[in-house]
């Protein structure tokens, strides 16, 4: 028979002898492989599973898998039996349900292989071969077969434990392979098992219910606040703190450092971290907060939750260090009014350095190196920051100003952002008046960010996944903190043994404090007992003896007393939680509970239900109905460009100063020394005019960056345009432009539409007079919310922003001058809409801030930033006939600008006509 295969017996690797056909078959070759001899056995065992295990081991050696096709436990007076089939037996039955993927397949090919196991009257199990043949070729390896690759019970338990400890499946597979080289499990199966384990842990709970349950089980303090959207409660901000973090915070509340990190969850919510440090110098996390926005209100709420962690209401942090985030700084000043707020010195230096490299340039012909000038400015600025007294600060500022006099723009930047606003938060002369204990920067918080990112697998997980990584990090953190405490209480360094100065300090203060005192003692030879030379900075900023005090101790041969050490350095343990028996009677809540019971007796049914629901949430937080954030969080900073590929990385984006440094390094690396070409001796080199030499050696000034969409604006307006900002083109671009100008965020365009609809509704009569009844109805209908649409749907044309109709509405409601710029005929002429009601501002010095300039493209709007004093288009025709008497005063304030716009427009049109004539005359072209 053509194509027939015969099995060569051999239990480890059955061989196959194939008789080649005379010609290639037109359909797949029919196989017939008999493995019956391998399963004939006289085994009799009372254990059913042992017989199945034996059969599967034989099949594994033959490179195929066996499944239980059918079984019966002997109920209803039937005999007990089981049937074993090849995993490729049976036929695939297609489902009516359409599958998500079309890349599906089946292993089943109707293999007839079948074994039968039955139980005798003596309760022993036997195995018989019903059909030992296969109609398919046996594999050369069994990897990829689901039955063979199943984990053993002990392997499954190991896998579950490692998954709970955030070990990736690929590392779990390596561990399982090391323990059992014959393990056939694939990475795909481990990923599936990991996913099923997570589903099993969450069960039917929602994400917020699961998070609440885990927080309660681990004893966390947590609070959240919600916002109602689409008829449901969505979480707005979440704050949580580990119980041991609370103990550390109450033990070491002197200094706090605060900063936010990103890429920790799929909702793009910034993670606000509050960090402290112990007496041993080890950083610890006080609390965490996921915030939907980095605004003052969000920071204030999170800091209020942080204050509630303090058991002593009189204790407040003495120093709080942040970066120069104005919203956070304002919130800190409100919640911690008695604390000194310091700005991160590292960020200040880097920002000034990046600005310096952009502005401070050495012109050709000057006998100075660019890097040398930068180094001089950097050293002078560092001297300003490190000025120990106000007098030295004034002297160093004068030196810095003289050095930077050639670059007034850079000097003005430093003065406006640092010297005039934050000198008391960053310069030593003021900073060293507070007990900051050496913390001038937020580096501790940045370090905690980096440690957390090591526990996060990616930045696309939900809040539960993010909390699990935080919890694992904190467990390791507390172990390190306790280890440092133990070393300080049990290890005495040899350099202190023979010195009576430290006799009372052994095992009573941290080794970190001992190091600070040792370093200060080395300054005794320099300053002695003179307090002016000493400065006593160590005593004010660290709470430790300074050099002049140590000099007196050494002279009188007296040791340093413990009462001369700040309490921060003397605590070498976690602050113990109050015992249940020590809790005050006020915490019994008996009076409140009795009041609730009395109210339940007389309350209405709806009130009773409300009380019951609130009590249920307190008793069972995992029953919460709160949903995750509705949309991605709006973080601070400029509008991000849309990335083509979604990244799973948790690493932070580069800061501005890093981009500047990379650019400067690339520019310097690409510069090469010019080669001088030697003139040929056989030819006479003509003399080059001096003017030409100068112009050749002088490099051309760099071209200004091209402004997007600038060619869609009138040419004569190009010099007056500062920038053009694009918005999303979903049909609501006109409203987004107004929202970006008024609110600073184009995502608030729905609020703009609501304000415009309210303006039309409250002043219907005046707008009907302005438009007409039919046009008024069209504009009003355009502002009504559209029917429910998908996230990426484009608004229909009847919902678009129209000019000048809606320009009047925006101008009147927001008391702004709305300008449309365009050089395209189908986009309409350039026009200006003034408010229909309301007086113009009495102060005319800031009129440019009142202008909203909308750039009209083909079926799209953009925001145009105009320069101060720029010309504007003429007034829209209908405004003069419909404005109130007081609003009529708007136009005269801009008449000179509109006149200038008309003159420039006339010149441009005349030039276009001449160019057209010149192009039409081939014989005598006109040069302009």
């Amino acid at each position: 028979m053509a194509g027939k295969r015969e099995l060569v017996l051999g239990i480890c690797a059955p061989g196959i002898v194939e008789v080649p056909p005379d010609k290639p078959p037109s359909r797949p070759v029919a196989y017939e492989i008999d493995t019956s001899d391998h399963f004939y056995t006289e085994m009799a065992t009372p254990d059913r599973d042992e017989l199945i295990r034996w059969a599967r081991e034989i099949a594994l050696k033959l490179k195929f898998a066996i499944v239980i096709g059918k079984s019966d436990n002997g109920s209803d007076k039937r005999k007990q039996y089981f049937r074993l089939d090849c995993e490729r037996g049976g036929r695939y039955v297609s489902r009516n349900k359409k599958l998500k993927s079309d890349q599906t397949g089946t292993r089943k090919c109707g293999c007839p292989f079948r074994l039968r196991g039955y139980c005798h009257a003596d309760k022993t199990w036997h195995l018989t071969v019903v059909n030992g043949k296969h109609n398919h070729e046996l594999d050369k390896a069994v990897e990829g077969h689901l039955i063979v690759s199943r984990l053993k019970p002990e392997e499954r338990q190991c896998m579950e434990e490692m998954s709970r400890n955030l070990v990736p499946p690929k590392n779990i597979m390596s561990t399982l392979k090391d323990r059992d080289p014959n393990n056939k499990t694939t990475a795909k199966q481990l990923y599936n098992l990991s996913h099923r384990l997570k589903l099993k842990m969450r069960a039917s709970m929602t994400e917020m219910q699961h998070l609440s349950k885990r927080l309660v089980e681990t004893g966390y303090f947590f609070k959240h606040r919600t916002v109602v959207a689409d008829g449901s409660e969505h979480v707005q901000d979440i704050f949580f703190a580990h119980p041991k973090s609370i103990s550390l915070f109450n033990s070491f509340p002197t200094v706090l450092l605060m900063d936010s990190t990103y890429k920790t969850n799929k909702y793009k919510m910034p993670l606000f971290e509050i960090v402290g440090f112990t007496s041993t110098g080890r950083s610890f996390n006080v609390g965490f907060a996921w915030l939907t926005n980095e605004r003052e209100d969000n920071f204030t709420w999170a800091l209020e939750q942080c204050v509630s962690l303090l058991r002593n209401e009189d204790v407040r942090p003495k120093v709080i260090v942040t970066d120069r985030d104005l919203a956070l700084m304002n919130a800190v000043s409100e919640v911690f009014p008695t604390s000194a707020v310091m700005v991160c010195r590292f960020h200040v230096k880097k920002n000034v350095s990046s600005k310096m490299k952009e502005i401070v340039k050495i012109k050709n012909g000057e006998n100075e190196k660019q890097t040398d000038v930068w180094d001089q400015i950097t050293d002078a600025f560092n001297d300003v920051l490190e000025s120990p007294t106000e007098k030295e600060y004034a002297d160093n500022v004068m030196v810095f100003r003289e050095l930077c006099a050639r670059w007034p723009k850079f000097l003005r930047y430093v003065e406006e952002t640092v010297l005039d606003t934050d000198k008391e938060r960053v310069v030593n002369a003021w900073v060293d008046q507070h007990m900051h204990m050496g913390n001038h920067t937020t580096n501790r918080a940045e370090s905690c960010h980096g440690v957390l990112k090591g526990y996060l697998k990616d930045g696309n997980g939900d809040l539960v996944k993010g909390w699990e990584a935080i919890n694992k990090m904190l467990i390791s953190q507390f172990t390190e903190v306790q280890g440092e405490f133990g070393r300080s209480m049990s290890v005495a360094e040899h350099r202190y043994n023979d010195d009576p100065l430290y006799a009372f300090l052994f095992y009573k203060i941290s080794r970190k404090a001992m190091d600070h005192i040792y370093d200060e003692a080395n300054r005794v030879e320099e300053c002695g007992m003179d307090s002016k030379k000493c400065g006593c900075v160590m005593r004010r900023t660290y709470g430790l003896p300074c050099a002049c005090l140590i000099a007196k101790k050494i002279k009188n041969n007296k040791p340093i007393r413990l009462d001369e050490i700040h309490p921060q350095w003397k605590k070498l343990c976690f602050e113990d939680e109050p015992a249940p028996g020590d809790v005050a009677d006020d915490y019994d809540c008996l009076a409140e509970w009795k009041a609730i019971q009395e109210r339940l007796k007389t309350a209405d049914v709806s009130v009773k239900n409300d009380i019951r629901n609130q009590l249920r949430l307190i008793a069972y937080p995992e029953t919460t109905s709160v949903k995750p954030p509705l949309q991605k969080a709006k973080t601070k900073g400029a509008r991000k460009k849309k990335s083509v590929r979604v990244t799973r990385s948790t690493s932070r984006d580069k800061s501005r100063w890093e981009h500047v440094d990379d650019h400067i390094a690339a520019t310097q690396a690409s510069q090469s020394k010019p080669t001088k070409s030697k003139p040929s001796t056989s030819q006479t080199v003509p003399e080059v005019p001096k003017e030409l030499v100068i112009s050749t050696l002088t490099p051309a000034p760099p071209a200004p960056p091209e402004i997007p969409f600038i060619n869609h604006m009138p040419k004569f307006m190009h010099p007056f345009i500062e920038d053009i900002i694009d918005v999303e083109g979903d049909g609501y671009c006109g409203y987004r432009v107004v929202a970006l100008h008024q609110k600073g965020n184009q995502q608030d365009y729905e609020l703009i539409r609501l304000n415009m609809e309210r303006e039309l509704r409250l002043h219907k009569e005046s707008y009907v007079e302005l438009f007409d009844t039919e046009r008024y109805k069209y504009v009003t209908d355009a502002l009504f919310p559209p029917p429910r649409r998908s996230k990426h749907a484009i608004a229909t044309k009847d919902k678009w922003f129209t000019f000048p109709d809606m320009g009047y509405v925006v101008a009147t409601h927001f008391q702004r001058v709305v300008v449309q710029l365009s050089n395209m005929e189908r986009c309409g002429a350039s026009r200006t809409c003034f408010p229909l009601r309301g007086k113009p501002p009495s102060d005319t010095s800031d009129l440019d801030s009142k202008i909203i300039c909308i750039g009209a493209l083909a079926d799209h709007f953009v925001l145009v930033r105009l320069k101060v004093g720029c010309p504007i288009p003429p007034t829209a025709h209908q405004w003069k006939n419909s404005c109130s008497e007081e609003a009529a005063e708007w136009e005269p304030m801009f008449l000179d600008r509109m006149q200038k716009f008309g003159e420039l427009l006339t010149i441009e049109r005349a030039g276009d006509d001449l160019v057209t004539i010149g192009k039409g005359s081939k014989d005598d072209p006109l040069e302009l």
Side-chain angles (χ1 to χ4, degrees):
M1 181 177 179
K4 183 176 179 181
R5 297 189 175 194
E6 298 178 357
L7 177 67
V8 179
L9 297 181
I11 193 167
C12 293
I16 296 177
V17 178
E18 182 178 354
V19 181
D22 297 336
K23 60 180 180 179
S26 58
R27 58 181 179 176
V29 178
Y31 294 97
E32 186 178 317
I33 301 176
D34 193 352
T35 58
S36 303
D37 294 341
H38 299 280
F39 293 95
Y40 289 132
T41 178
E42 299 296 332
M43 179 185 297
T45 174
D47 189 356
R48 167 180 175 271
D49 295 336
E50 182 181 354
L51 196 61
I52 296 175
R53 192 181 308 111
W54 177 84
R56 283 180 169 168
E57 291 176 355
I58 299 298
L60 180 62
K61 294 178 181 179
L62 295 176
K63 308 302 181 186
F64 73 96
I66 287 179
V67 298
I68 300 177
K70 194 175 182 181
S71 65
D72 197 326
N73 57 4
S75 59
D76 296 334
K77 298 182 180 180
R78 293 193 301 269
K79 292 184 178 180
Q80 300 183 49
Y81 78 97
F82 62 83
R83 192 186 77 202
L84 301 180
D85 298 339
C86 174
E87 69 170 348
R88 303 192 64 181
R91 295 290 180 185
Y92 173 73
V93 180
S94 62
R95 300 180 180 180
N96 295 329
K97 183 179 179 181
K98 186 177 180 180
L99 301 176
K100 295 181 179 180
S101 174
D102 56 355
Q103 297 180 348
T104 57
T106 179
R107 296 177 182 271
K108 298 184 180 299
C109 63
C111 180
F113 179 86
R114 181 171 297 176
L115 305 178
R116 181 181 177 89
Y118 56 92
C119 184
H120 281 186
D122 58 353
K123 304 299 181 181
T124 58
W125 287 87
H126 297 259
L127 187 68
T128 59
V129 179
V130 178
N131 190 338
K133 296 180 179 180
H134 299 266
N135 65 351
H136 57 89
E137 188 176 3
L138 300 183
D139 294 339
K140 297 180 180 180
V142 293
E143 278 78 6
H145 291 258
L146 301 180
I147 302 301
V148 178
S149 303
R150 283 179 177 174
L151 293 178
K152 300 174 184 178
E154 60 274 12
E155 293 175 334
R156 181 182 290 270
Q157 182 180 0
C158 174
M159 186 264 177
E160 292 180 356
E161 292 177 356
M162 297 179 74
S163 294
R164 282 194 292 267
N165 287 299
L166 306 180
V167 180
K170 60 180 181 180
N171 296 341
I172 298 177
M173 186 174 67
S174 300
T175 303
L176 296 178
K177 298 288 185 182
D178 291 340
R179 293 184 177 183
D180 183 9
N182 296 323
N183 185 285
K184 307 298 181 183
T185 304
T186 61
K188 176 65 175 176
Q189 286 180 291
L190 291 181
Y191 278 101
N192 291 341
L193 287 173
S194 177
H195 178 67
R196 287 197 290 270
L197 176 62
K198 294 177 182 178
L199 293 179
K200 179 181 176 182
M201 293 175 60
R202 181 169 294 188
S204 61
M205 292 184 292
T206 64
E207 178 183 342
M208 295 306 302
Q209 289 175 345
H210 190 200
L211 179 61
S212 299
K213 180 175 181 293
R214 298 292 290 128
L215 289 169
V216 171
E217 289 176 347
T218 49
Y220 273 74
F221 169 89
F222 69 99
K223 292 285 185 180
H224 71 272
R225 60 176 183 170
T226 60
V227 60
V228 178
D230 295 340
S232 303
E233 273 192 307
H234 295 265
V235 68
Q236 183 179 4
D237 302 317
I238 308 173
F239 179 90
F240 55 93
H242 194 280
K244 287 191 175 181
S245 296
I246 299 174
S247 298
L248 286 174
F249 182 34
N250 283 273
S251 299
F252 309 101
T254 308
V255 179
L256 292 182
L257 305 98
M258 302 175 182
D259 194 18
S260 298
T261 186
Y262 310 93
K263 298 183 181 181
T264 62
N265 58 88
K266 63 182 181 182
Y267 305 108
K268 310 300 180 186
M269 298 176 69
L271 180 63
F272 179 55
E273 290 192 53
I274 304 174
V275 178
F277 75 103
T278 66
S279 57
T280 59
R282 175 72 62 172
S283 302
F284 68 92
N285 289 93
V286 176
F288 301 85
W290 273 308
L291 308 176
T292 54
N293 291 289
E294 293 184 284
R295 297 176 180 172
E296 185 175 340
D297 174 64
N298 304 84
F299 286 127
T300 300
W301 179 85
L303 295 178
E304 287 173 350
Q305 310 311 312
C306 178
V307 170
S308 65
L309 302 179
L310 292 169
R311 302 190 185 103
N312 188 351
E313 297 182 356
D314 298 331
V315 176
R316 288 291 186 275
K318 294 184 178 181
V319 172
I320 297 177
V321 186
T322 71
D323 58 5
R324 199 175 183 275
D325 185 346
L326 298 181
L328 178 57
M329 293 168 65
N330 293 337
V332 170
S333 300
E334 179 180 350
V335 181
F336 298 97
T338 60
S339 302
V341 182
M342 290 171 45
V343 176
C344 176
R345 183 175 293 179
F346 175 81
H347 287 87
V348 170
K349 289 182 178 180
K350 287 298 182 181
N351 291 336
V352 171
S353 175
S354 63
K355 202 69 175 180
M356 174 189 66
K357 293 177 181 178
E358 290 179 346
I359 299 176
V360 177
K361 303 293 184 181
I362 299 301
K363 299 180 181 179
N364 290 335
E366 297 183 3
N367 298 326
E368 290 179 300
K369 289 185 178 180
Q370 184 73 75
T371 54
D372 293 342
V373 174
W374 286 348
D375 291 341
Q376 292 175 11
I377 296 176
T378 301
D379 293 340
F381 183 70
N382 291 339
D383 292 339
V384 171
L385 297 183
E386 296 170 3
S387 303
T389 63
E390 295 185 24
K391 182 180 181 302
E392 292 188 33
Y393 167 78
D395 296 338
N396 291 331
V397 168
M398 291 299 297
V399 174
F400 179 77
R401 285 175 176 167
E402 291 177 2
L403 187 61
C404 301
R406 289 183 290 172
W407 303 279
K409 186 176 180 181
F410 170 69
L411 181 59
R412 184 169 62 254
Y413 168 80
V414 175
E415 291 177 344
E416 292 178 353
T417 60
V418 181
L419 303 183
D420 295 343
T421 58
D422 293 336
K423 66 179 180 181
E424 297 180 357
R425 299 186 178 100
V426 73
V427 178
N428 282 355
W430 289 272
V431 165
D432 287 345
Q433 303 301 319
H434 309 287
M435 190 168 292
H436 54 72
M437 296 187 174
N439 293 279
H440 298 94
T441 68
T442 57
N443 288 354
R444 288 184 181 272
E446 298 284 355
S447 177
C448 290
H449 296 341
V451 174
L452 174 59
K453 295 299 180 66
Y455 284 84
L456 280 171
K457 298 177 184 178
D458 56 64
N460 297 332
D462 58 12
L463 299 183
V464 178
K465 184 177 180 180
W467 172 83
E468 288 176 347
I470 292 173
N471 189 52
K472 298 296 180 184
M473 179 198 70
L474 291 178
I475 293 174
S476 176
Q477 183 181 101
F478 298 145
T479 303
E480 293 296 325
V481 169
Q482 189 60 60
E484 292 285 348
F485 287 157
R487 283 187 284 274
S488 291
M489 297 177 65
S490 59
V491 177
E493 296 186 26
H494 298 298
R495 58 180 175 175
Y496 306 130
N497 288 337
D498 299 330
D499 194 337
L501 186 68
Y502 307 97
F504 293 164
L505 305 182
F506 286 108
Y507 314 124
K508 301 297 183 181
I509 65 173
S510 68
R511 296 172 65 189
K512 187 71 174 178
M514 296 279 278
D515 293 340
H516 286 311
I517 297 174
Y518 181 81
D519 293 338
E520 194 69 8
N522 293 333
R523 294 182 59 235
V524 171
E525 296 180 1
E526 174 186 348
C527 57
M529 292 184 289
D530 189 348
S531 59
K532 291 184 179 181
K533 291 183 179 180
C534 174
C536 301
V537 176
M538 180 64 64
R539 189 186 307 176
R540 292 195 308 271
T541 60
Y542 285 82
L544 295 172
C546 58
C548 62
L549 177 60
I550 294 176
K552 296 177 182 178
K553 296 284 185 181
I554 295 175
K555 180 180 180 181
N556 299 323
N557 196 23
K558 292 184 178 180
I560 298 174
R561 303 191 310 271
L562 281 177
D563 59 354
E564 296 171 334
I565 306 294
H566 190 273
Q568 167 93 6
W569 307 106
K570 293 186 285 187
K571 295 179 181 178
L572 298 175
C573 65
F574 290 81
E575 183 174 296
D576 296 331
E577 292 282 347
D582 299 336
V583 178
D585 295 336
D586 294 342
Y587 287 90
D588 291 340
C589 302
L590 295 178
E592 291 79 0
W593 176 241
K594 290 179 180 179
I596 293 175
Q597 290 179 322
E598 292 296 329
R599 188 176 180 186
L600 286 172
K601 295 178 182 178
T602 58
D604 185 65
V605 176
S606 59
V607 177
K608 292 181 179 179
N609 291 334
D610 183 56
I611 295 175
R612 182 184 60 183
N613 293 336
Q614 294 184 38
L615 292 176
R616 181 184 290 119
L617 287 176
I618 296 174
Y620 311 103
E622 63 275 12
T623 62
T624 180
S625 60
V626 176
K627 297 181 179 180
L630 184 62
Q631 59 182 356
K632 293 181 180 179
K634 304 167 188 175
T635 57
K636 62 185 178 182
R639 178 175 177 267
K640 307 298 187 296
K641 294 182 179 179
K642 293 183 179 179
S643 58
V644 178
R645 185 177 180 182
V646 179
T647 177
R648 296 171 59 87
S649 173
T650 60
S651 59
R652 67 177 182 87
D653 296 330
K654 286 186 176 181
S655 301
R656 180 177 179 275
W657 57 267
E658 290 174 302
H659 287 291
V660 173
D661 289 348
D662 292 344
H663 174 72
I664 295 298
T667 304
Q668 292 176 347
S670 64
Q671 292 176 348
S672 59
K673 295 182 179 180
T675 59
K676 297 181 180 179
S677 58
K678 297 181 179 180
S680 175
T681 57
S682 61
Q683 297 179 359
T684 303
V685 181
E687 184 179 356
V688 181
K690 183 178 181 181
E691 295 80 6
L692 183 58
V693 172
I694 295 176
S695 62
T696 305
L697 295 178
T698 303
E706 184 178 355
I707 300 176
F709 307 110
I710 188 68
N711 294 328
H712 293 269
M713 301 295 112
K715 293 181 181 179
F716 65 87
M717 285 295 295
H718 290 188
F720 303 99
I721 296 176
E722 189 174 74
D723 193 11
I724 297 179
I725 304 174
D726 192 16
V727 295
E728 294 184 24
D730 57 353
Y732 298 104
C733 49
Y735 310 103
R736 290 181 179 273
V737 168
V738 179
L740 186 59
H741 185 278
Q742 290 297 111
K743 307 294 184 181
N745 189 349
Q746 62 169 300
Q747 302 299 334
D748 292 336
Y749 71 95
E750 289 289 359
L751 182 60
I752 299 298
R753 288 167 55 86
L754 290 175
N755 291 334
M756 294 173 63
E757 187 275 331
R758 184 172 180 271
E759 169 69 21
L760 282 171
R761 178 167 40 84
L762 294 180
H763 304 279
K764 179 178 180 180
E765 295 180 357
S766 60
Y767 284 104
V768 169
E769 181 182 354
L770 174 65
F771 308 140
D772 55 50
T773 305
E774 183 178 354
R775 187 62 183 172
Y776 172 83
K777 185 178 184 305
Y778 178 86
V779 176
T780 305
D781 292 343
L783 296 174
F784 274 103
R788 185 175 294 275
R789 61 187 181 94
S790 62
K791 181 178 180 181
H792 302 287
I794 304 298
T796 56
K797 198 166 185 178
D798 60 329
K799 300 293 182 182
W800 289 6
F801 187 94
T802 56
F803 200 89
D805 302 334
M806 294 186 180
Y808 293 122
V809 182
V810 173
T812 306
H813 179 77
F814 294 104
Q815 290 295 289
R816 292 292 186 269
V817 179
V818 181
V819 175
Q820 174 178 276
L821 275 185
S822 174
N823 65 350
M824 303 179 67
E825 293 296 334
R826 61 174 176 168
C827 295
S830 299
R831 287 289 182 266
T832 300
C833 292
F834 293 106
L836 298 173
R837 302 184 315 275
K839 291 183 179 182
S842 56
D843 184 8
T844 60
S845 60
D846 195 21
L847 287 178
D848 292 275
S849 64
K850 302 291 183 181
I851 299 177
I852 304 176
C853 186
I854 303 175
L857 314 181
D859 298 333
H860 188 53
F861 288 108
V862 294
L863 177 62
V864 181
R865 302 284 191 188
L866 298 176
K867 295 182 179 179
V868 178
C870 64
I872 63 173
T875 310
H877 300 300
Q878 295 172 295
W879 178 79
K880 294 182 180 180
N881 300 327
S882 304
C883 67
S884 63
E885 294 182 1
E886 57 182 12
E889 300 176 9
W890 278 92
E891 187 181 33
M893 304 174 68
F894 294 89
L895 280 178
D896 55 341
R897 297 192 182 190
M898 290 188 286
Q899 182 179 358
K900 186 176 181 181
F901 184 93
E903 294 173 355
L904 294 174
L905 179 61
T906 302
I907 295 173
E908 180 174 310
R909 286 178 176 175
D912 291 340
D913 294 339
L914 290 175
V915 171
T916 304
I917 296 173
K919 289 182 178 179
S921 176
K922 298 180 180 179
D923 300 328
D924 187 21
L926 178 63
E927 296 182 1
L928 297 179

